[in-house]
């Protein structure tokens, strides 16, 4: 088996986790053995995946194999974006200021808030009745 160079990046968002493997290539992206056009339902999510590559002007220079699980499609798209940005930073640390300025290396810390007792949801309250 030939020695193949690759760079790894892990992205997380909500409960989604994406493992990104960047390899030198022609710009082919595969997400769970599907193209981004097949995997993500909306144009905005498809565009979100390519943002770090376009910002660093490396679109078309790498093939990306992405394994993503957990969460919904929106969280998965953000996790993939963070994973690609981290893999690009591992490839060339000089890209860090550019990726940081675009906000691609910042993990979104927001998570699902748990339901509280005595309430129908995390923050919602039952309807108040004066009489």
């Amino acid at each position: 088996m030939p020695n193949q160079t690759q760079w790894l990046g892990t992205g997380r968002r909500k409960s989604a986790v994406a493992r990104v493997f960047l390899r030198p290539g022609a710009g082919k992206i595969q997400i769970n053995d599907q193209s981004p056009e097949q995997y993500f339902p909306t144009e905005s999510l498809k565009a979100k995946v390519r943002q770090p590559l376009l910002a660093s002007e490396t679109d078309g220079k790498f093939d990306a194999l992405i394994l993503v699980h957990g969460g919904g499609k929106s969280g998965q798209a953000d996790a993939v974006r963070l994973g690609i940005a981290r893999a690009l930073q591992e490839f060339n640390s000089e890209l860090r200021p550019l990726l940081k300025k675009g906000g691609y290396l910042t993990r979104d810390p927001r998570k699902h808030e748990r339901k509280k007792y005595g309430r129908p949801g995390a923050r919602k309250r039952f309807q108040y009745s004066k009489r």
Side-chain angles (χ1 to χ4, degrees):
M1 189 169 185
N3 186 11
Q4 190 173 15
T5 306
Q6 69 178 4
W7 297 275
L8 308 176
T10 303
R12 293 184 190 89
R13 168 78 168 100
K14 294 185 178 178
S15 59
V17 180
R19 289 178 294 166
V20 177
F21 303 91
L22 277 187
R23 299 172 179 151
K28 188 174 143 196
I29 297 177
Q30 280 212 306
I31 303 170
N32 290 353
D33 294 326
Q34 296 178 348
S35 70
E37 287 71 31
Q38 292 172 317
Y39 193 77
F40 290 117
T42 64
E43 289 300 320
S44 62
L45 296 180
K46 295 170 196 168
K48 197 174 275 195
V49 170
R50 290 200 182 272
Q51 284 177 344
L53 295 167
L54 294 171
S56 61
E57 297 173 1
T58 54
D59 195 30
K61 295 181 182 175
F62 294 104
D63 288 340
L65 172 66
I66 302 165
L67 304 172
V68 63
H69 67 274
K73 296 290 185 184
S74 177
Q76 287 181 351
D78 284 336
V80 167
R81 184 176 78 167
L82 177 60
I84 290 174
R86 285 180 172 174
L88 284 171
Q89 178 187 324
E90 191 176 312
F91 159 69
N92 184 356
S93 58
E94 293 173 9
L95 294 174
R96 182 176 169 80
L98 194 83
L99 294 168
K100 191 80 172 159
K101 186 179 179 207
Y104 305 123
L105 291 174
T106 306
R107 188 210 188 285
D108 194 335
R110 294 176 293 176
K111 287 268 194 181
H112 178 77
E113 190 174 337
R114 78 172 202 84
K115 180 193 176 300
K116 314 301 190 303
Y117 56 87
R119 298 189 190 167
R123 297 185 179 207
K124 188 176 181 185
R125 274 121 167 124
F126 291 111
Q127 185 172 347
Y128 175 73
S129 173
K130 194 169 184 179
R131 288 184 232 319

